[in-house]
Amino acid sequence: MNNSVSNTARLIGAGLRALLVLTVICGVIYPLAVTGIAQALFHDKANGSEIKDKSGQVVGSSLIGQTYNLPKNDPNDAEEGARPDLKWFQPRPSNGLGSNSVNTQYSLILSGATNRSADNGAVNGRCTKDAEEGTLCAQVVAAKEAVIADNSTAGHQVAPEDVPADAVTSSGSGLDPNISPAYAELQIHRVAEQNNLDVKQVEKLVADHTTGRTLGFMGEPRVNVLELNIALKALSKS
C-alpha cells in the first residue's frame, strides 16, 4: 500500500515538474525567442508589413488591398453601388467579399472568392453580353466594359484586347494588393489626365513601382497599388 502511494506521488511529482518545465520552455522562452528574432531580422514583416506616408502615418499594409471609391451619395443606402475614384490607380475587383451577418455589432468584411467556375454563365463556351445576370461571365463582361469606359481618354482609346485578366476578375481572397504591370499601364492615361500630370511622369511612376519575379523565377511581375498611389499623391503635390 505504501509503495503504491509512494509511486503515485512520485509520478504526480514528475508530471508536475515536466508540466512546469514545458510551460516555461514552450510558453515563455520559445515565444520570446521567436518574437525577438522576428523583430530583429524581419521587423517590417513581423509588424504587418505596414506602409507609411511621408508624414510617418500608417496608411495600410502591403499585403492587403484597398479600394479607391468616391463617397456614396447616400451612406445609408446598402444597394448603392461603389463608384471608383478615377484619379487613383484602381485595384482588382473584389466580387468575392462578403459582409458580416452573424454578429452585427462589428462592421467586418469577409474575404473570399466567388467560387464560380470559369465558364459560369458562358454561352457556347464564351462570355458574351447574353450571359445570365449574376454569373461570373456577366460580371466579367460588365467589368470589361467599365474598364474600357473609365480608362479611355480624349487622346487614348482602350482596346478590348488590351484589358488584362486581373482587371476584370478578383483574386482568391478578394484582397490582392497587387495588379499586373499591364493593368497599371492601361490606367496611365486616365490617371495622368485626372491629376493634370504628363503621361511620361506617370509611366515612370509605374515603372519605378513594378516588382519583378521573386528570386527571378517565382510568381509574376506586379505593382503594389497602395504604394503606387502614395507615390502618385506625392507627385501630384510636387
Side-chain angles (χ1 to χ4, degrees):
M1 181 68 178
N2 290 336
N3 288 338
S4 177
V5 172
S6 176
N7 289 337
T8 300
R10 182 173 57 81
L11 291 174
I12 292 175
L16 290 174
R17 288 194 297 274
L19 174 64
L20 178 61
V21 171
L22 290 174
T23 298
V24 172
I25 293 175
C26 299
V28 180
I29 297 176
Y30 177 74
L32 287 176
V34 170
T35 301
I37 292 171
Q39 289 294 330
L41 301 180
F42 311 103
H43 179 76
D44 178 60
K45 291 181 174 60
N47 290 289
S49 299
E50 295 174 340
I51 295 180
K52 300 179 181 179
D53 59 16
K54 285 192 172 182
S55 66
Q57 181 180 358
V58 176
V59 294
S61 168
S62 64
L63 304 177
I64 301 176
Q66 297 187 17
T67 56
Y68 298 87
N69 296 326
L70 294 168
K72 283 187 173 184
N73 293 322
D74 181 3
N76 298 318
D77 184 3
E79 300 299 322
E80 183 181 343
R83 295 170 298 141
D85 189 343
L86 298 180
K87 73 177 183 179
W88 302 110
F89 282 93
Q90 293 296 315
R92 297 183 66 171
S94 51
N95 297 325
L97 297 182
S99 57
N100 171 35
S101 59
V102 178
N103 187 346
T104 55
Q105 178 182 356
Y106 302 100
S107 179
L108 303 176
I109 294 178
L110 309 180
S111 67
T114 61
N115 291 330
R116 294 187 173 97
S117 64
D119 61 351
N120 177 243
V123 179
N124 295 325
R126 299 184 63 186
C127 287
T128 68
K129 292 183 179 180
D130 297 326
E132 183 181 348
E133 185 178 355
T135 62
L136 180 63
C137 278
Q139 292 177 356
V140 167
V141 170
K144 189 170 186 177
E145 290 176 349
V147 167
I148 293 172
D150 289 345
N151 291 283
S152 294
T153 64
H156 177 76
Q157 178 65 37
V158 175
E161 59 269 20
D162 292 336
V163 179
D166 63 313
V168 297
T169 56
S170 57
S171 65
S173 68
L175 299 173
D176 194 340
N178 303 313
I179 57 176
S180 66
Y183 187 26
E185 291 166 3
L186 181 144
Q187 302 183 61
I188 286 175
H189 286 82
R190 182 253 300 163
V191 169
E193 180 181 79
Q194 291 284 328
N195 291 278
N196 298 314
L197 295 170
D198 185 76
V199 171
K200 295 293 183 184
Q201 289 179 291
V202 184
E203 286 178 344
K204 184 178 184 303
L205 203 65
V206 170
D208 290 344
H209 288 81
T210 298
T211 304
R213 291 180 172 87
T214 304
L215 300 179
F217 68 94
M218 291 192 296
E220 295 292 333
R222 59 200 179 276
V223 180
N224 187 283
V225 180
L226 176 56
E227 293 176 352
L228 181 60
N229 279 331
I230 291 174
L232 173 62
K233 182 178 181 180
L235 179 62
S236 300
K237 288 185 176 181
S238 62

